[in-house]
Amino acid sequence: MNEIDRREFLRRMMILGFSASAAATLLARCGAAQSPTAAPTAAPTAAPTAPPPAAGPAPATPATAQPPTPAPSAGDAYLAVARGESPAALVQTAIRAIGGMERFVKPGADVLIKPNICVAYHGPEYAATTNPEVVGALVALCLGAGARRVRVMDNPFGGTPEAAYARSGIADAVKAAGGQMEVMSEMKYATVPIPQGKDLKQIRIYRDALDADVFINVPIAKDHGLARLTLGMKNLLGVIWDRPAMHRNMGQRIAELTSLVRPTLTVVDAVRILVANGPTGGNLADVKQTNTVIASADIVAADAWATSLFGLKPADVSYIPAAAKMGLGTMDLAGVRVEEISV
Amino acid sequence: MTPQSWRRMRQAVQILAVLLFTYLLLGTRQGLPTFLPHDLFFRVDPLAGAAAMLAGRRWIPALALGLATIALAVVAGRAWCGWLCPLGAVLDWTRPRKPAAQDDPRGNWRTAKHALLLVILWAALLGNLTLLILDPLTILFRTMTASVLPAVNALLTAAESALYAIGPLQRPLEWADRILRGVGLVGGEPAFQQGIVLALLFGAIVALNAVRPRFWCRYLCPLGALLGLVSKVAFLRHRVDADACIACGKCARACPTGTIDPARGYAADPAECTLCLDCAAVCPTNAVGFRGHLAPAAWREYDPSRRQALLALGAAVAGVGLLRAAPAARRESPWLIRPPGARENGLLDKCIRCGECMKVCPTSGLQPSLFAAGLEGLWTPVLVPRLGYCDYSCHSCGQACPTGAIPPLALDDKRRAVLGVAYIDENRCIPWADGVDCIVCEEMCPVPEKAIQLDVQTVTRPDGTVAEVRRPRVIRERCIGCGICEYKCPLNGEAAIRVHAP
């Protein structure tokens, strides 16, 4: 008697399970078609508005796509560079100079902050990971501007996210400022087309990086063997699934990734920079205290300015000219308003 | 208390033991403290403890708790098996409700477990611990670590990803994901070689329940054999009140280890009885009780004899001899990359094959060895860099190891421990073979002064064009063999940079 009941129970559970998963699959299909990340079907074969290469200075406001960032008002700097002792004050000053956080974060906004937390190996004094005070100050500014929630995340390539978040000091700083750390779960990655992609037609990427109301990119300026420097655009590798694939034709591929992500705001942490043995670091002799924070809505401009800290030109870092050529921003800083402030 | 309520209490204790085992299993993760030692079940395992101390010729304080289990056996016989052993509980829960016919309670096959126990102990005396792979706790822990949890992880991850496409489910899934990640059921993508083999072996042990209830416990378990021998002098023993007994035979049929002998007035051998109280619970006349005894129980037909002990010695000597004469002992495999500090430490005669290190390894780079360490080192830990690297920020394996087979190195020392050396295959490496930049290995190299350097060279590519390319080169003195270069090498299949044993 009992045996049959159990069997019957199992049979029903199985039928239920199968129909539920069938329904889920069906729903998933429909859901995917409507999902905002699942991109337009219209093939972007027309290579939209690729600006003529090397045709003088690029326009101050990038022409392609729709930059998600509101245009600066008359008094605001296009790019701000703050120098001084206190990382938090540098962030506040630089953001104020480009229009204040209210320009980027509207009340109720869902904000995602992407620092560089590439490894779980060292504390922030080794300059392998973004300065926790810089990240904490950004969280506080976003909340001050009325953000609904502020999440901070990265996908380390060395060590677990939990260990890296803790070791970098960022977990504590974010918590103290009222934000939350998020471990990047596999379920949240989706493969989406890159409309402007020539070398990369599609990419598997963390959905929230595309869906969040505001995406703030907070790289630390570091040495890198292939790219020469890892700055804002290189930092975007943290939101895609397959990083090693980016290492062929890296400059172009990073630019194409940037064309997809388009951060609202880029804040380059150059409080300390790593001048050799990057991006992992581990040697204090390779760390240089530069006490600088750079902020701009234009990721290309921010990266271009940051090259000067290493005695390089924007054109030396392959993804910067590639991105400028795609119209994602300007690398010609003479054509835009740069404000340098000492704090 | 009635026998029925005693039995219910036993069942409750079994559930608690399995819950504790599960808690400690899931808690065996990088940097995660548990309220009890995460390796508690190995600490109280007298078989693993005795064998490890015999083989290593040293006192291992952490394993001294095994004496408590021995003491429990002196008081209450094989109560460990009936009440506390998590594998025993699993076998109890999976045995058929209507068991196959009982075999002869005097059946000689019961002696197999004694043979196994004796071979294990003799071999340990000869410095070999290979057969500890058959310790019930290592079986359960290893199977959970290398088969069950990775499968659960993969299924949950797939389910999450499939359901996440449905908009309204995203919020609840984020909550669920945070919880599942918190308890260690999701995240980290664990994957183990031989996971399926281990699952099949475990499945076989469970399936043997259908041949005889608790087949494993009555015929094969070496820990059960050890505790059984101690139980010969157990104080608390099964006893039948001959006046009350109506010889209905219910207890003999109910006994999960089949030790109740109708031919001997329904007496049980304390070495086979697990004090499960099933007999007392089914007895219609309350004739079964558990009373104190002081005189040792009789030696039975299946109990070890001097002859068996000598045969076991012979088998152990022959086995150890053959293992020492195996090619793996003559020339080590280049892929025998041991956990940090373990090679210098002489892992083989200290490792009880428990799998704690593999469970705690955050990259699941530590894998149960199949061939690399030869048959002698079966299921001992080896780093397989293509599956997972040794994390520069982690020293958990040394902290997790219950026997010190992997030394508990401080993080700074572990970072300098050399596991192997990386070599570049210039025929396949992208910059070397194709003249195209790549440098992933250099980027990943975690040592402060990178052990991989890039040389700018002007090369002729296979298609005849000339280009400048950065070619990686390993500086051997700096390489610690962590294997992250091999893990991350973007080539398909085998990496173009491989870590060899030092």
Side-chain angles (χ1 to χ4, degrees):
Chain A
M1 205 43 203
N2 252 336
E3 301 284 318
I4 290 166
D5 278 352
R6 187 185 315 163
R7 210 158 280 170
E8 181 60 23
F9 172 74
L10 287 174
R11 204 176 64 83
R12 285 180 197 177
M13 286 308 285
M14 238 158 82
I15 293 173
L16 200 72
F18 275 124
S19 31
S21 55
T25 316
L26 255 165
L27 271 168
R29 293 268 156 79
C30 310
Q34 294 157 2
S35 133
T37 51
T41 35
T45 38
T49 54
T61 311
T64 30
Q66 52 291 340
T69 314
S73 54
D76 300 336
Y78 189 84
L79 181 145
V81 180
R83 294 195 185 84
E85 295 293 320
S86 157
L90 296 183
V91 171
Q92 290 152 4
T93 307
I95 298 291
R96 201 180 309 125
I98 57 169
M101 195 56 97
E102 290 73 16
R103 180 185 153 202
F104 307 98
V105 176
K106 300 299 167 211
D110 184 19
V111 180
L112 195 154
I113 297 181
K114 163 67 177 74
N116 186 329
I117 318 178
C118 65
V119 288
Y121 303 158
H122 312 289
E125 65 279 13
Y126 286 87
T129 51
T130 302
N131 190 303
E133 290 177 65
V134 167
V135 181
L138 281 169
V139 172
L141 284 177
C142 292
L143 290 171
R148 178 164 54 84
R149 64 169 175 172
V150 181
R151 287 173 296 160
V152 179
M153 62 193 72
D154 194 8
N155 181 15
F157 61 72
T160 62
E162 291 87 348
Y165 290 179
R167 179 108 42 183
S168 64
I170 290 175
D172 284 344
V174 167
K175 212 177 189 182
Q180 42 185 289
M181 301 301 299
E182 176 166 305
V183 172
M184 297 171 73
S185 175
E186 184 175 343
M187 67 182 176
K188 288 202 187 180
Y189 287 81
T191 302
V192 304
I194 302 179
Q196 279 181 270
K198 293 208 184 65
D199 191 16
L200 282 178
K201 297 284 180 213
Q202 56 174 26
I203 198 156
R204 191 167 174 215
I205 190 165
Y206 201 67
R207 292 162 183 250
D208 294 12
L210 304 178
D211 296 348
D213 300 329
V214 177
F215 181 94
I216 302 180
N217 184 27
V218 198
I220 179 170
K222 286 192 290 184
D223 163 73
H224 186 274
L226 179 56
R228 290 193 81 164
L229 296 179
T230 157
L231 301 167
M233 286 185 264
K234 173 77 174 53
N235 192 39
L236 298 178
L237 263 66
V239 299
I240 62 167
W241 186 258
D242 181 10
R243 262 183 296 215
M246 299 292 283
H247 286 74
R248 278 187 187 234
N249 196 11
M250 186 179 237
Q252 181 60 28
R253 289 186 177 188
I254 288 180
E256 291 180 7
L257 170 64
T258 306
S259 77
L260 181 68
V261 180
R262 306 305 309 270
T264 322
L265 170 64
T266 295
V267 179
V268 180
D269 161 29
V271 174
R272 304 182 188 91
I273 62 174
L274 184 64
V275 297
N277 287 307
T280 50
N283 199 339
L284 288 175
D286 297 332
V287 177
K288 200 170 141 193
Q289 191 86 28
T290 42
N291 291 328
T292 304
V293 164
I294 304 141
S296 177
D298 179 347
I299 189 171
V300 184
D303 283 2
W305 198 95
T307 57
S308 67
L309 292 167
F310 297 82
L312 296 174
K313 297 261 171 292
D316 295 333
V317 180
S318 59
Y319 51 80
I320 298 178
K325 203 170 152 188
M326 286 178 74
L328 304 175
T330 179
M331 59 185 259
D332 176 20
L333 299 170
V336 297
R337 191 177 147 204
V338 176
E339 200 168 310
E340 303 196 22
I341 315 151
S342 289
V343 182
Chain B
M1 283 216 309
T2 64
Q4 286 79 10
S5 45
W6 274 107
R7 182 170 67 163
R8 269 197 295 281
M9 174 158 12
R10 192 254 308 164
Q11 288 164 339
V13 171
Q14 276 185 312
I15 291 171
L16 289 177
V18 169
L19 287 178
L20 179 63
F21 183 87
T22 310
Y23 166 76
L24 295 175
L25 172 81
L26 293 175
T28 305
R29 268 187 294 155
Q30 186 192 25
L32 203 70
T34 47
F35 82 95
L36 286 168
H38 60 87
D39 54 355
L40 181 69
F41 278 90
F42 295 108
R43 293 189 185 211
V44 299
D45 177 349
L47 175 65
M53 291 189 218
L54 280 176
R57 285 122 177 86
R58 70 206 168 103
W59 173 250
I60 306 174
L63 299 186
L65 268 181
L67 289 173
T69 309
I70 297 286
L72 173 68
V74 171
V75 175
R78 278 176 73 178
W80 165 270
C81 307
W83 291 60
L84 294 172
C85 177
L87 180 60
V90 170
L91 294 177
D92 251 354
W93 297 339
T94 53
R95 70 187 158 94
R97 287 289 151 254
K98 280 187 205 146
Q102 291 284 19
D103 61 349
D104 179 1
R106 283 159 283 173
N108 280 330
W109 278 108
R110 287 175 194 274
T111 202
K113 62 178 177 295
H114 296 122
L116 194 52
L117 169 69
L118 290 168
V119 174
I120 288 175
L121 292 177
W122 282 124
L125 205 58
L126 298 168
N128 172 287
L129 290 174
T130 304
L131 284 177
L132 277 187
I133 58 172
L134 296 176
D135 176 280
L137 296 169
T138 72
I139 288 175
L140 190 61
F141 196 91
R142 186 187 314 117
T143 309
M144 290 296 138
T145 295
S147 309
V148 176
L149 290 179
V152 168
N153 196 318
L155 288 172
L156 287 173
T157 305
E160 279 184 350
S161 299
L163 295 174
Y164 196 79
I166 306 167
L169 289 182
Q170 292 185 348
R171 266 306 158 83
L173 276 169
E174 280 170 26
W175 277 102
D177 182 69
R178 211 166 302 153
I179 293 166
L180 291 170
R181 206 168 279 278
V183 297
L185 289 174
V186 157
E189 302 176 305
F192 289 90
Q193 298 172 342
Q194 305 163 66
I196 292 170
V197 175
L198 293 169
L200 287 175
L201 277 176
F202 190 78
I205 289 174
V206 171
L208 283 170
N209 257 335
V211 180
R212 294 280 181 271
R214 280 187 168 237
F215 185 102
W216 166 262
C217 315
R218 55 166 99 177
Y219 300 119
L220 295 173
C221 181
L223 176 58
L226 175 65
L227 295 174
L229 292 180
V230 177
S231 303
K232 287 291 183 188
V233 298
F235 176 71
L236 206 57
R237 285 182 216 160
H238 167 270
R239 188 156 103 201
V240 178
D241 178 353
D243 296 335
C245 176
I246 56 170
C248 64
K250 280 189 177 163
C251 58
R253 283 194 295 279
C255 179
T257 60
T259 182
I260 295 177
D261 190 351
R264 296 188 203 216
Y266 297 93
D269 179 1
E272 299 290 307
C273 168
T274 64
L275 271 80
C276 71
L277 301 157
D278 283 4
C279 52
V282 299
C283 179
T285 62
N286 269 334
V288 181
F290 284 81
R291 312 246 183 291
H293 291 70
L294 289 176
W299 213 247
R300 302 293 283 268
E301 302 83 338
Y302 46 76
D303 282 327
S305 58
R306 189 181 315 155
R307 188 183 151 84
Q308 189 188 27
L310 288 172
L311 275 172
L313 173 61
V317 168
V320 171
L322 285 169
L323 291 176
R324 295 277 153 85
R330 188 71 44 85
R331 191 178 293 284
E332 269 187 0
S333 160
W335 315 127
L336 184 61
I337 303 161
R338 290 298 195 186
R343 168 181 294 275
E344 299 74 11
N345 204 23
L347 176 129
L348 271 185
D349 61 5
K350 298 185 178 68
C351 171
I352 58 171
R353 280 72 169 162
C354 64
E356 289 270 344
C357 52
M358 301 172 207
K359 177 67 185 71
V360 84
C361 179
T363 68
S364 77
L366 284 184
Q367 295 275 328
S369 160
L370 183 60
F371 295 119
L375 194 55
E376 180 171 10
L378 184 67
W379 298 340
T380 54
V382 286
L383 183 75
V384 180
R386 201 59 172 150
L387 296 178
Y389 57 94
C390 183
D391 173 359
Y392 194 66
S393 61
C394 177
H395 58 148
S396 298
C397 53
Q399 315 294 319
C401 179
T403 66
I406 307 171
L409 299 178
L411 184 57
D412 279 342
D413 296 329
K414 182 259 153 181
R415 286 179 168 183
R416 283 187 290 267
V418 176
L419 314 188
V421 183
Y423 291 84
I424 291 170
D425 181 349
E426 293 163 4
N427 290 314
R428 300 186 65 237
C429 174
I430 294 168
W432 283 92
D434 301 339
V436 177
D437 275 335
C438 168
I439 70 95
V440 174
C441 53
E442 187 264 359
E443 176 183 18
M444 295 296 154
C445 182
V447 295
E449 279 190 280
K450 287 189 182 284
I452 296 174
Q453 293 294 308
L454 300 173
D455 297 328
V456 179
Q457 303 266 316
T458 306
V459 299
T460 307
R461 288 177 176 159
D463 63 5
T465 55
V466 175
E468 258 197 2
V469 64
R470 275 161 282 197
R471 281 175 168 173
R473 164 171 56 89
V474 178
I475 301 170
R476 303 234 163 79
E477 316 68 85
R478 292 185 192 167
C479 179
I480 55 172
C482 72
I484 195 170
C485 50
E486 181 174 340
Y487 180 71
K488 303 273 184 176
C489 174
L491 281 194
N492 288 329
E494 214 58 86
I497 183 163
R498 292 199 72 180
V499 178
H500 293 234

